[in-house]
């Protein structure tokens, strides 16, 4: 019995010694201190053309055991825009797989919001309704992500459903990886394909149907006049100038743009061909202000 008690006591002592030894080894040998990342400035200004090396400028990393880890620092993530700025998160691991992180503010010197372009008006005949493709004339580009055309969303007003002819609002929308959103409400028109008066209309033809400008920077609406479109056929001043003689001067231009206030406005081009009803084409002018840039609104 005494031997059993001594054996149990011996096992207990050995277990305690082993546990104490493990704790001492863990504290003295194993690395529980993460590396430390530092930077010269809390805010860095870069160009949208810069690569990751620009984001790493001034960033250093040091570990209590592994020494200098600066070359191992990586940009772990970039936040969405907040008040025109982004937060960059930097990360580095030491050999013990301990993680060190740092955040700092990132500003772009030449950033512009994503833009949607429309090469033709959203005007369709009733005979085309089964084949309407709202995205066919749309493209989008961004200074950070490049081509965003495939990500354009078209949000159609509820009034469209069940509509035979008339107009409704379609909101065109796209966002980039920084969370900045371009949103442009435009008009979609359904016309009666069998209406002779409609077929005889001659619509002013434009080179662009959505243009962008800054506060207090007026555009020249006449610069976007390209020709005349009649019953689905386009005639341009460049190629069909003789046929279109006199039409350019006869086109009326009415601007509803308030260049002092950011927003989306319209310029209307109206033309009345001989013996035909007046045809109106709309240009959408997006006036961007400083409060729009990098804020997620366009």
């Amino acid at each position: 019995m005494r031997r059993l008690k001594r054996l149990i006591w011996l096992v207990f002592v050995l277990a305690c010694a082993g546990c104490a030894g493990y704790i001492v080894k863990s504290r003295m040998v194993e690395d529980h201190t993460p590396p430390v990342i530092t930077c010269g400035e809390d805010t860095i200004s870069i160009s949208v053309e810069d690569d990751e090396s620009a984001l790493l400028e001034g960033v250093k990393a040091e570990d209590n055991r592994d020494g200098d880890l600066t070359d191992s620092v990586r940009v772990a993530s970039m936040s969405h825009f907040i008040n025109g700025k982004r937060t960059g998160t930097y990360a580095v691991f030491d050999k013990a797989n301990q993680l060190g992180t740092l955040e700092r503010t990132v500003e772009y010197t030449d950033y512009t919001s994503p833009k949607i372009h429309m090469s033709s008006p959203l005007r369709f005949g009733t005979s085309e309704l089964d084949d309407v493709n709202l995205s066919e004339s749309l493209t989008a580009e961004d200074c950070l992500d490049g081509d965003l055309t495939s990500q354009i969303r078209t949000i159609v007003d509820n009034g469209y459903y069940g509509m035979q002819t008339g107009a409704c609002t379609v909101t065109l929308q796209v966002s980039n990886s920084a969370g900045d959103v371009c949103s442009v409400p435009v008009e979609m028109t359904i016309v009666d394909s069998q209406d002779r008066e409609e077929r005889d209309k001659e619509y002013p033809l434009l080179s662009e149907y959505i243009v962008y400008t800054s506060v207090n920077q007026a555009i020249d609406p006449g610069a976007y006049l390209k020709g005349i479109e009649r019953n689905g056929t386009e005639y341009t001043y460049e190629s069909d100038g003789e046929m279109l003689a006199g039409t350019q001067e006869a086109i009326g231009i009415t601007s509803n743009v308030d260049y002092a206030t950011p927003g989306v406005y319209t310029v209307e081009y109206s033309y009345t061909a001989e013996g035909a009803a007046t045809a109106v084409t709309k240009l959408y002018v997006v006036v961007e202000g400083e409060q729009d840039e990098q804020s997620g609104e366009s």
Side-chain angles (χ1 to χ4, degrees), residues 248-267:
Q248 190 166 4
E249 296 75 15
I251 292 175
I253 300 177
T254 303
S255 175
N256 300 309
V257 183
D258 177 4
Y259 289 102
T261 306
V264 181
Y265 303 92
T266 59
V267 175

Side-chain angles (χ1 to χ4, degrees), residues 154-165:
T154 54
I155 306 169
V156 182
D157 184 89
N158 289 335
Y160 165 73
Y161 301 99
M163 181 177 70
Q164 295 301 311
T165 60

